[in-house]
PDB file of all heavy atoms in Angstrom:
ATOM      1  N   ASP A 704       8.806  44.630  42.039  1.00 93.00           N
ATOM      2  CA  ASP A 704       8.466  44.744  40.616  1.00 93.00           C
ATOM      3  C   ASP A 704       6.952  44.874  40.436  1.00 93.00           C
ATOM      4  O   ASP A 704       6.478  45.667  39.614  1.00 93.00           O
ATOM      5  CB  ASP A 704       8.984  43.514  39.866  1.00 93.00           C
ATOM      6  CG  ASP A 704       8.740  43.615  38.370  1.00 93.00           C
ATOM      7  OD1 ASP A 704       9.356  44.488  37.730  1.00 93.00           O
ATOM      8  OD2 ASP A 704       7.925  42.834  37.845  1.00 93.00           O
ATOM      9  N   THR A 705       6.188  44.113  41.208  1.00 93.00           N
ATOM     10  CA  THR A 705       4.720  44.193  41.132  1.00 93.00           C
ATOM     11  C   THR A 705       4.232  45.575  41.561  1.00 93.00           C
ATOM     12  O   THR A 705       3.329  46.157  40.938  1.00 93.00           O
ATOM     13  CB  THR A 705       4.083  43.111  42.025  1.00 93.00           C
ATOM     14  OG1 THR A 705       4.539  41.828  41.600  1.00 93.00           O
ATOM     15  CG2 THR A 705       2.566  43.165  41.951  1.00 93.00           C
ATOM     16  N   ILE A 706       4.829  46.113  42.620  1.00 93.00           N
ATOM     17  CA  ILE A 706       4.462  47.456  43.080  1.00 93.00           C
ATOM     18  C   ILE A 706       4.750  48.488  41.990  1.00 93.00           C
ATOM     19  O   ILE A 706       3.932  49.380  41.721  1.00 93.00           O
ATOM     20  CB  ILE A 706       5.223  47.803  44.376  1.00 93.00           C
ATOM     21  CG1 ILE A 706       4.696  46.955  45.540  1.00 93.00           C
ATOM     22  CG2 ILE A 706       5.115  49.289  44.701  1.00 93.00           C
ATOM     23  CD1 ILE A 706       5.494  47.099  46.820  1.00 93.00           C
ATOM     24  N   ALA A 707       5.898  48.367  41.327  1.00 95.00           N
ATOM     25  CA  ALA A 707       6.264  49.317  40.269  1.00 95.00           C
ATOM     26  C   ALA A 707       5.240  49.299  39.143  1.00 95.00           C
ATOM     27  O   ALA A 707       4.798  50.353  38.656  1.00 95.00           O
ATOM     28  CB  ALA A 707       7.653  48.989  39.729  1.00 95.00           C
ATOM     29  N   ARG A 708       4.836  48.112  38.715  1.00 95.00           N
ATOM     30  CA  ARG A 708       3.881  48.004  37.608  1.00 95.00           C
ATOM     31  C   ARG A 708       2.503  48.538  38.001  1.00 95.00           C
ATOM     32  O   ARG A 708       1.814  49.169  37.195  1.00 95.00           O
ATOM     33  CB  ARG A 708       3.796  46.549  37.139  1.00 95.00           C
ATOM     34  CG  ARG A 708       5.116  46.047  36.561  1.00 95.00           C
ATOM     35  CD  ARG A 708       5.044  44.602  36.083  1.00 95.00           C
ATOM     36  NE  ARG A 708       6.355  44.131  35.691  1.00 95.00           N
ATOM     37  CZ  ARG A 708       6.941  44.421  34.524  1.00 95.00           C
ATOM     38  NH1 ARG A 708       6.309  45.185  33.654  1.00 95.00           N
ATOM     39  NH2 ARG A 708       8.140  43.953  34.240  1.00 95.00           N
ATOM     40  N   GLU A 709       2.115  48.313  39.245  1.00 95.00           N
ATOM     41  CA  GLU A 709       0.823  48.826  39.703  1.00 95.00           C
ATOM     42  C   GLU A 709       0.851  50.351  39.799  1.00 95.00           C
ATOM     43  O   GLU A 709      -0.148  51.022  39.483  1.00 95.00           O
ATOM     44  CB  GLU A 709       0.481  48.209  41.063  1.00 95.00           C
ATOM     45  CG  GLU A 709      -0.859  48.640  41.639  1.00 95.00           C
ATOM     46  CD  GLU A 709      -2.057  48.202  40.800  1.00 95.00           C
ATOM     47  OE1 GLU A 709      -1.888  47.356  39.885  1.00 95.00           O
ATOM     48  OE2 GLU A 709      -3.165  48.709  41.051  1.00 95.00           O
ATOM     49  N   LEU A 710       1.978  50.912  40.205  1.00 96.00           N
ATOM     50  CA  LEU A 710       2.095  52.371  40.288  1.00 96.00           C
ATOM     51  C   LEU A 710       2.040  53.018  38.905  1.00 96.00           C
ATOM     52  O   LEU A 710       1.548  54.139  38.754  1.00 96.00           O
ATOM     53  CB  LEU A 710       3.397  52.754  40.997  1.00 96.00           C
ATOM     54  CG  LEU A 710       3.422  52.495  42.512  1.00 96.00           C
ATOM     55  CD1 LEU A 710       4.833  52.667  43.061  1.00 96.00           C
ATOM     56  CD2 LEU A 710       2.457  53.433  43.238  1.00 96.00           C
ATOM     57  N   VAL A 711       2.523  52.314  37.900  1.00 96.00           N
ATOM     58  CA  VAL A 711       2.377  52.810  36.524  1.00 96.00           C
ATOM     59  C   VAL A 711       0.908  52.765  36.117  1.00 96.00           C
ATOM     60  O   VAL A 711       0.370  53.713  35.527  1.00 96.00           O
ATOM     61  CB  VAL A 711       3.240  51.981  35.550  1.00 96.00           C
ATOM     62  CG1 VAL A 711       2.941  52.382  34.101  1.00 96.00           C
ATOM     63  CG2 VAL A 711       4.723  52.172  35.843  1.00 96.00           C
ATOM     64  N   ARG A 712       0.237  51.677  36.458  1.00 96.00           N
ATOM     65  CA  ARG A 712      -1.173  51.510  36.077  1.00 96.00           C
ATOM     66  C   ARG A 712      -2.059  52.600  36.672  1.00 96.00           C
ATOM     67  O   ARG A 712      -2.958  53.121  35.998  1.00 96.00           O
ATOM     68  CB  ARG A 712      -1.679  50.132  36.510  1.00 96.00           C
ATOM     69  CG  ARG A 712      -3.056  49.773  35.949  1.00 96.00           C
ATOM     70  CD  ARG A 712      -3.607  48.509  36.577  1.00 96.00           C
ATOM     71  NE  ARG A 712      -3.978  48.712  37.967  1.00 96.00           N
ATOM     72  CZ  ARG A 712      -5.110  49.306  38.366  1.00 96.00           C
ATOM     73  NH1 ARG A 712      -5.979  49.759  37.474  1.00 96.00           N
ATOM     74  NH2 ARG A 712      -5.370  49.445  39.655  1.00 96.00           N
ATOM     75  N   VAL A 713      -1.778  52.987  37.925  1.00 95.00           N
ATOM     76  CA  VAL A 713      -2.625  53.989  38.581  1.00 95.00           C
ATOM     77  C   VAL A 713      -2.155  55.418  38.298  1.00 95.00           C
ATOM     78  O   VAL A 713      -2.770  56.375  38.773  1.00 95.00           O
ATOM     79  CB  VAL A 713      -2.686  53.751  40.106  1.00 95.00           C
ATOM     80  CG1 VAL A 713      -3.273  52.380  40.404  1.00 95.00           C
ATOM     81  CG2 VAL A 713      -1.310  53.922  40.756  1.00 95.00           C
ATOM     82  N   GLY A 714      -1.059  55.562  37.534  1.00 95.00           N
ATOM     83  CA  GLY A 714      -0.617  56.890  37.118  1.00 95.00           C
ATOM     84  C   GLY A 714       0.373  57.571  38.034  1.00 95.00           C
ATOM     85  O   GLY A 714       0.696  58.747  37.837  1.00 95.00           O
ATOM     86  N   TYR A 715       0.901  56.854  39.036  1.00 96.00           N
ATOM     87  CA  TYR A 715       1.878  57.467  39.939  1.00 96.00           C
ATOM     88  C   TYR A 715       3.249  57.570  39.267  1.00 96.00           C
ATOM     89  O   TYR A 715       3.959  58.555  39.431  1.00 96.00           O
ATOM     90  CB  TYR A 715       1.983  56.649  41.229  1.00 96.00           C
ATOM     91  CG  TYR A 715       2.875  57.267  42.286  1.00 96.00           C
ATOM     92  CD1 TYR A 715       2.352  58.121  43.248  1.00 96.00           C
ATOM     93  CD2 TYR A 715       4.244  56.996  42.320  1.00 96.00           C
ATOM     94  CE1 TYR A 715       3.172  58.694  44.218  1.00 96.00           C
ATOM     95  CE2 TYR A 715       5.070  57.564  43.278  1.00 96.00           C
ATOM     96  CZ  TYR A 715       4.527  58.419  44.221  1.00 96.00           C
ATOM     97  OH  TYR A 715       5.342  58.987  45.174  1.00 96.00           O
ATOM     98  N   VAL A 852      -1.177  51.496  47.322  1.00 90.00           N
ATOM     99  CA  VAL A 852      -0.623  50.448  46.455  1.00 90.00           C
ATOM    100  C   VAL A 852       0.335  49.565  47.247  1.00 90.00           C
ATOM    101  O   VAL A 852       0.299  48.327  47.152  1.00 90.00           O
ATOM    102  CB  VAL A 852       0.092  51.072  45.238  1.00 90.00           C
ATOM    103  CG1 VAL A 852       0.890  50.008  44.476  1.00 90.00           C
ATOM    104  CG2 VAL A 852      -0.911  51.735  44.311  1.00 90.00           C
ATOM    105  N   LYS A 855      -1.625  47.311  49.631  1.00 84.00           N
ATOM    106  CA  LYS A 855      -2.328  46.250  48.914  1.00 84.00           C
ATOM    107  C   LYS A 855      -1.367  45.135  48.517  1.00 84.00           C
ATOM    108  O   LYS A 855      -1.667  43.940  48.699  1.00 84.00           O
ATOM    109  CB  LYS A 855      -3.004  46.832  47.679  1.00 84.00           C
ATOM    110  CG  LYS A 855      -3.739  45.796  46.834  1.00 84.00           C
ATOM    111  CD  LYS A 855      -4.377  46.451  45.612  1.00 84.00           C
ATOM    112  CE  LYS A 855      -5.067  45.409  44.736  1.00 84.00           C
ATOM    113  NZ  LYS A 855      -5.672  46.036  43.526  1.00 84.00           N
ATOM    114  N   GLN A 856      -0.214  45.491  47.986  1.00 83.00           N
ATOM    115  CA  GLN A 856       0.721  44.490  47.487  1.00 83.00           C
ATOM    116  C   GLN A 856       1.474  43.772  48.608  1.00 83.00           C
ATOM    117  O   GLN A 856       2.014  42.690  48.391  1.00 83.00           O
ATOM    118  CB  GLN A 856       1.721  45.139  46.523  1.00 83.00           C
ATOM    119  CG  GLN A 856       1.072  45.746  45.294  1.00 83.00           C
ATOM    120  CD  GLN A 856       0.262  44.734  44.500  1.00 83.00           C
ATOM    121  OE1 GLN A 856       0.628  43.563  44.394  1.00 83.00           O
ATOM    122  NE2 GLN A 856      -0.875  45.179  43.960  1.00 83.00           N
TER     123      GLN A 856
END
Side-chain angles (χ1 to χ4, degrees):
D704 184 67
T705 302
I706 290 173
R708 296 180 187 281
E709 181 64 13
L710 288 170
V711 173
R712 190 189 70 79
V713 299
Y715 185 91
V852 169
K855 178 181 178 181
Q856 298 303 324

